[in-house]
Amino acid sequence: MFIDNLKISNFKNFEDFEHDFSQINCIVGNNGVGKTNILDAIYYLSFCKSFHASNDLNTIRHGADFFALFGSYSFENSEKEKYSCSQKKGEKKRFFHDKNPYKKLSEHIGKLPCVILSPYDSLYITGSGEQRRKFMDIVLSQTDVVYMDALLNYNRSLEQKNKLLKFMQETQNFDTIQLDIWNERLDKYALIIQNKRQEFFDNFSSYFNFFYDFVSEKKESPSVEYRTYSGSLLKKMHENYEKEKIIGYTLAGIHRDDMIFKLNNYNVQEIGSQGQQKTFTLAMKLAQYSYLKDKKHTTPLLLLDDIFDKFDFSRVEKILRLVSEDNFGQIFITDTHIDRVRNIIPQSHKEKTIIINI
């Protein structure tokens, strides 16, 4: 899959931007000029949201009252399709496929598979479990409609139960019948999600190990483990009634799941070196790409944001040598030094490279 053309209107710092793309696209400019914002626009067209702005209104250019994104895509079957989205202040976000609006944004997820490697990825290792659950959800939501539906329903049910607990806490009026209704819904969707996540990890581990060995040259023995609750969730929630009445939120469930990273059986998150943590991050993202490629039967877009600042030169050279192979598709790279970009691109791909100066 390729994005042939991108048009931006009032997105972040761009009033108007339009460009055609090649296989390898290097976006060069000083810090603060908007290199990452171009990648974010591409990401937005895939996921219906920014990869780091928590509020859609924050993506609207200062002084404007809307933003719009337009992307033209080519697929392996030679079909060309257009996707677009817009957000106006005070109105709902809208997404279109060839000018046909989606009824639900969830219908779009997975249509344009995409992987981004950015400075924020370090949070997968050093951040909270929420960051690592986000990784699982991003991958699985692009490949499994049943998972995404169960996740949306679980999160809605969790939100409603927590609102009920907070209300009961404030009024001191505890209705266990209503809590049981939400607990049963949570148990139903949690079981689906838990099984899907376990199945994902059973498959993902081989991808991760392959890329970790590639980056580290097989110097260490890594593992990625899925940590979740055991036994009956309904039973755990019944046991937590009294505690939840006091604190006002749900204690047990798949919203507490986590990923544990180990090297030679010790926890990388706790005592791993910065180099080891960077290698884990890189292996995770490359594994994510390869997993999506196999599951979606198409080459996802690969967005590499400021990797020269994040990784040492030898790792960057190895990354670009790998992703320039035929089994990878379209690549976008941001950097501040044009000569560094030119020198690192493999000679065989010079004619397939576009350098965009911002």
Side-chain angles (χ1 to χ4, degrees):
M1 180 187 76
F2 271 52
I3 178 169
D4 301 308
N5 175 273
L6 173 69
K7 182 179 180 181
I8 296 174
S9 295
N10 295 324
F11 184 79
K12 296 195 170 180
N13 69 317
F14 287 102
E15 181 176 6
D16 289 296
F17 174 89
E18 184 174 6
H19 214 287
D20 295 329
F21 298 123
S22 183
Q23 182 178 356
I24 299 178
N25 305 275
C26 305
I27 304 168
V28 181
N30 294 327
N31 290 325
V33 298
K35 303 184 301 295
T36 297
N37 293 342
I38 295 174
L39 299 193
D40 201 14
I42 297 170
Y43 184 95
Y44 205 111
L45 283 169
S46 288
F47 292 97
C48 307
K49 62 181 181 180
S50 165
F51 72 80
H52 60 73
S54 57
N55 189 325
D56 285 319
L57 295 180
N58 292 337
T59 61
I60 299 175
R61 186 178 64 86
H62 181 70
D65 61 358
F66 79 98
F67 81 79
L69 303 173
F70 305 86
S72 298
Y73 293 79
S74 296
F75 294 84
E76 281 80 352
N77 57 10
S78 299
E79 289 186 9
K80 295 184 179 295
E81 301 179 14
K82 293 184 177 181
Y83 292 86
S84 61
C85 68
S86 63
Q87 172 78 65
K88 190 173 183 178
K89 291 180 179 179
E91 296 183 6
K92 280 188 173 183
K93 177 167 46 183
R94 299 190 299 167
F95 253 79
F96 299 86
H97 175 208
D98 289 333
K99 297 184 179 181
N100 298 312
Y102 287 104
K103 293 180 180 179
K104 297 185 298 182
L105 295 181
S106 59
E107 295 175 355
H108 175 69
I109 304 301
K111 300 283 188 184
L112 307 172
C114 175
V115 174
I116 185 165
L117 179 62
S118 82
Y120 296 94
D121 293 333
S122 61
L123 292 175
Y124 291 139
I125 308 297
T126 62
S128 65
E130 180 182 0
Q131 298 295 330
R132 291 180 285 278
R133 288 190 295 275
K134 182 180 178 181
F135 174 81
M136 291 187 276
D137 293 340
I138 286 173
V139 180
L140 280 164
S141 292
Q142 291 185 85
T143 59
D144 194 322
V145 175
V146 174
Y147 178 88
M148 182 167 58
D149 183 67
L151 182 66
L152 291 171
N153 280 295
Y154 181 91
N155 288 337
R156 292 190 194 107
S157 300
L158 181 65
E159 182 182 7
Q160 291 303 314
K161 181 191 171 183
N162 286 342
K163 285 182 179 179
L164 178 61
L165 281 169
K166 185 63 69 176
F167 173 77
M168 291 178 175
Q169 185 187 53
E170 293 171 352
T171 62
Q172 292 296 299
N173 180 20
F174 296 100
D175 185 343
T176 57
I177 294 178
Q178 290 190 62
L179 283 176
D180 283 340
I181 292 172
W182 290 114
N183 284 342
E184 288 175 5
R185 286 178 62 86
L186 287 169
D187 179 63
K188 172 186 173 182
Y189 296 119
L191 185 60
I192 297 171
I193 294 166
Q194 189 182 57
N195 288 337
K196 293 285 187 180
R197 284 179 177 174
Q198 187 60 65
E199 182 182 351
F200 163 69
F201 272 88
D202 291 343
N203 292 319
F204 185 76
S205 294
S206 60
Y207 291 91
F208 172 81
N209 291 337
F210 173 82
F211 285 109
Y212 193 96
D213 286 347
F214 173 81
V215 176
S216 67
E217 298 178 346
K218 298 184 179 181
K219 294 178 181 178
E220 299 158 319
S221 178
S223 67
V224 182
E225 299 175 6
Y226 171 43
R227 178 173 292 177
T228 185
Y229 64 87
S230 59
S232 167
L233 180 57
L234 265 181
K235 182 179 179 182
K236 291 181 183 298
M237 289 190 287
H238 281 297
E239 292 171 349
N240 286 332
Y241 269 148
E242 296 305 318
K243 290 181 181 178
E244 290 180 349
K245 287 178 183 179
I246 296 172
I247 62 176
Y249 59 85
T250 305
L251 287 170
I254 55 92
H255 60 286
R256 297 298 184 95
D257 285 359
D258 207 344
M259 300 168 64
I260 307 300
F261 307 126
K262 291 185 177 181
L263 269 180
N264 304 323
N265 292 321
Y266 66 81
N267 195 316
V268 173
Q269 286 130 303
E270 294 176 354
I271 59 174
S273 68
Q274 284 192 357
Q276 289 169 332
Q277 291 179 353
K278 287 180 178 181
T279 301
F280 257 82
T281 300
L282 180 55
M284 278 180 63
K285 302 304 287 189
L286 293 174
Q288 177 187 358
Y289 181 96
S290 191
Y291 178 88
L292 282 174
K293 178 176 178 287
D294 288 347
K295 290 293 182 180
K296 300 297 294 184
H297 304 292
T298 188
T299 51
L301 303 177
L302 181 60
L303 316 179
L304 305 177
D305 187 27
D306 285 336
I307 58 171
F308 291 95
D309 293 332
K310 183 177 180 61
F311 299 105
D312 58 77
F313 187 83
S314 63
R315 277 193 176 95
V316 173
E317 189 175 32
K318 189 173 288 188
I319 293 169
L320 290 181
R321 189 168 68 247
L322 174 68
V323 300
S324 298
E325 295 176 357
D326 292 338
N327 57 326
F328 280 80
Q330 193 176 27
I331 305 163
F332 292 82
I333 306 165
T334 64
D335 191 32
T336 53
H337 298 87
I338 193 167
D339 290 335
R340 183 164 59 181
V341 168
R342 285 179 174 146
N343 292 334
I344 203 73
I345 299 299
Q347 190 63 39
S348 60
H349 282 69
K350 296 290 186 182
E351 76 283 359
K352 301 176 184 177
T353 301
I354 289 178
I355 296 179
I356 305 165
N357 277 296
I358 301 298

